[in-house]
Amino acid sequence: MENLANNNRVNAHTADATARAILELIFAQRRLLPIEQDVAFDEQIVGHYEKVLDFVHRQQPINMVLPAFPAKSPNRNKTLGYLPDKGEFFAFERLVQLCQQIEEVYEPGAKVTICSDGRVFADIIHVSDAHVSEYVNGLRRFANQHYPDYFDFFNLEDVYDKVNDFAVLREELMIEYGETLKSLRQRIKTEKEASTMYKGITRFMLEDFSGIEKFSQHSRTALQKVAKTAAYRVIQRSNAWGRLLKQELPQALRLSIHPQYLVSEKIGISLVSQNDVWTTPWHSVLVKDGDEHSLMPREQAEQLGCVLVFINGQASHYERMHREPQL
């Protein structure tokens, strides 16, 4: 009995060390909001550690849920088109690298469940449901062809009965999981994290809408008003989607493409570069500069004289060309 107890203690110690090692690898790729006060690692991992430890005890792959990859921004000053390109594919490669790093310390490894949320708010961001479908199908094809063991996909159609009118799915989501606008407005006034999110989403909406023909005649003031209204609605839908995922995938480790505080329910994850704090592949283009990769608006890449690269006939990304110095 004493030997059995000793073995259990060793196993518990090993599981603890493994869970901590896994979280250290994930945290190395974190997107963080400005750090106002340092927090001990043990406090940062509360909530995440318990989930990882459970996977380790059961010797199953760590399931990381990432609500992301909705659809390309319709602002062509920022993006190349409505299909996924090298920006998304490079982000997938980075996620695979993280999973492979986890495999080195934990044999069962890890998988990422991409919870594409484009269907959730396509109408608000002025992207057609047809383009959302083509975008997500492009991601699935890439993952199945190159990394079949590392990705799962989950979207709104997997929850509710399939219907021809996707607006019905969005309505069902809000009926079951939605928060009132009054409640959201109050939280944005009183909660720092909610306020930061609102300001970030408003900025995104303003940038996106400023490059869409539909809003070309709007004044800056009028466009800001539209962007603020859209930001509230996007956050409402996004939070409803998050609540649904928490219920449908309760054991999964929750990642986010938005930067988070040191102590948070979600882990902000960098998809391309640690310098791209708020930028995402679907709001920008990928620019390759030697071995470095970064994200920026399409018009900025062109202003820098970057060269557009095509792969299999499709616009893929930009590359910076460096001229040899004149002798």
Side-chain angles (χ1 to χ4, degrees):
M1 291 294 292
E2 183 177 349
N3 289 336
L4 180 60
N6 287 335
N7 286 335
N8 287 336
R9 281 197 293 270
V10 170
N11 292 337
H13 176 76
T14 301
D16 171 76
T18 301
R20 288 172 176 275
I22 291 169
L23 284 168
E24 286 176 358
L25 290 171
I26 297 172
F27 277 21
Q29 202 166 312
R30 269 196 300 182
R31 273 181 160 182
L32 288 170
L33 290 165
I35 298 173
E36 298 177 346
Q37 183 176 356
D38 198 13
V39 179
F41 182 72
D42 281 359
E43 189 175 343
Q44 294 180 40
I45 64 176
V46 170
H48 313 305
Y49 169 81
E50 292 79 5
K51 291 181 176 181
V52 173
L53 188 65
D54 182 57
F55 281 115
V56 172
H57 279 312
R58 292 186 287 116
Q59 287 294 288
Q60 293 185 354
I62 310 299
N63 184 15
M64 299 182 286
V65 164
L66 180 60
F69 299 94
K72 281 291 193 183
S73 164
N75 184 341
R76 295 297 171 249
N77 294 324
K78 298 172 69 174
T79 57
L80 289 167
Y82 63 85
L83 294 174
D85 54 38
K86 183 64 175 176
E88 281 84 1
F89 301 153
F90 185 78
F92 271 35
E93 291 167 9
R94 287 251 302 170
L95 289 169
V96 169
Q97 289 171 7
L98 175 59
C99 291
Q100 292 173 339
Q101 289 174 346
I102 292 173
E103 285 176 8
E104 293 179 2
V105 300
Y106 176 61
E107 187 175 354
K111 295 188 73 170
V112 180
T113 300
I114 302 294
C115 300
S116 182
D117 44 8
R119 190 76 71 209
V120 174
F121 39 70
D123 56 325
I124 305 173
I125 61 176
H126 299 280
V127 174
S128 71
D129 279 302
H131 283 179
V132 169
S133 296
E134 292 189 59
Y135 177 84
V136 174
N137 289 339
L139 295 176
R140 288 176 184 265
R141 283 193 297 270
F142 178 83
N144 290 336
Q145 181 178 354
H146 298 280
Y147 305 110
D149 298 327
Y150 290 101
F151 292 101
D152 289 322
F153 290 84
F154 183 89
N155 62 19
L156 203 54
E157 295 94 311
D158 296 319
V159 183
Y160 300 109
D161 292 337
K162 288 181 169 59
V163 295
N164 294 327
D165 187 356
F166 292 112
V168 174
L169 302 185
R170 291 186 275 268
E171 186 177 349
E172 288 287 343
L173 172 70
M174 293 305 293
I175 289 171
E176 286 196 56
Y177 300 97
E179 175 184 16
T180 66
L181 184 58
K182 181 180 179 180
S183 172
L184 176 61
R185 287 181 184 275
Q186 183 61 30
R187 289 200 303 106
I188 288 172
K189 288 180 181 179
T190 58
E191 297 178 14
K192 189 173 183 180
E193 190 169 353
S195 175
T196 301
M197 177 66 68
Y198 170 69
K199 291 174 183 176
I201 297 296
T202 299
R203 178 166 53 85
F204 268 138
M205 293 295 96
L206 184 61
E207 290 175 355
D208 271 12
F209 293 167
S210 65
I212 299 177
E213 179 64 27
K214 178 177 180 178
F215 299 112
S216 60
Q217 301 304 314
H218 281 53
S219 67
R220 181 76 174 179
T221 301
L223 199 57
Q224 285 177 330
K225 186 175 181 180
V226 172
K228 288 179 179 179
T229 300
Y232 280 120
R233 295 176 67 201
V234 165
I235 295 170
Q236 266 188 308
R237 300 254 190 103
S238 181
N239 288 346
W241 182 233
R243 294 184 192 102
L244 182 152
L245 296 179
K246 191 172 183 179
Q247 179 172 303
E248 294 287 327
L249 305 164
Q251 296 175 318
L253 194 65
R254 174 66 188 272
L255 305 183
S256 172
I257 53 95
H258 300 299
Q260 304 290 321
Y261 290 103
L262 280 173
V263 178
S264 177
E265 185 181 357
K266 310 167 191 174
I267 302 173
I269 196 78
S270 171
L271 295 178
V272 172
S273 167
Q274 295 295 120
N275 297 324
D276 301 317
V277 178
W278 281 100
T279 314
T280 64
W282 47 95
H283 284 100
S284 59
V285 296
L286 182 81
V287 175
K288 187 173 183 296
D289 186 357
D291 294 330
E292 299 294 320
H293 297 80
S294 61
L295 298 171
M296 65 181 68
R298 175 184 182 178
E299 61 181 359
Q300 182 180 346
E302 293 178 348
Q303 288 168 1
L304 291 172
C306 300
V307 176
L308 180 59
V309 176
F310 288 78
I311 296 179
N312 297 326
Q314 180 189 337
S316 171
H317 64 283
Y318 285 87
E319 290 191 10
R320 294 198 70 168
M321 308 303 291
H322 297 276
R323 295 180 180 177
E324 294 294 330
Q326 298 292 326
L327 297 177

